[in-house]
Amino acid sequence: MPEITWEDPFCAEGSSCFQFGTDADGNAYIAVNGQEDHYLTDTTEALRALIIDIKAGKADHLL
């Protein structure tokens, strides 16, 4: 398992808490708080693009 540096959890009102992390190789990680051993990973650039698209409303149809 890579050495992941996790940020503090992000918890929206009434929903699950998520954590974001990075490793020394520039990979980014997302996990449900408390389940960090079950994570999704990609490049930091891919995570940045995902967050920008979500903030732009491109995932609003999922709500």
Side-chain angles (χ1 to χ4, degrees), residues 1-12 15-24 26-55:
M1 185 166 167
E3 183 71 30
I4 303 169
T5 302
W6 293 102
E7 299 290 329
D8 290 336
F10 170 79
C11 302
S15 64
S16 298
C17 296
F18 294 92
Q19 284 190 282
F20 296 94
T22 55
D23 67 17
N27 297 308
Y29 300 82
I30 303 173
V32 173
N33 188 39
Q35 298 181 17
E36 291 82 7
D37 55 334
H38 300 287
Y39 53 78
L40 297 174
T41 185
D42 208 325
T43 64
T44 303
E45 293 80 22
L47 177 59
R48 185 176 294 116
L50 173 66
I51 292 170
I52 289 169
D53 284 351
I54 289 171
K55 290 174 80 173

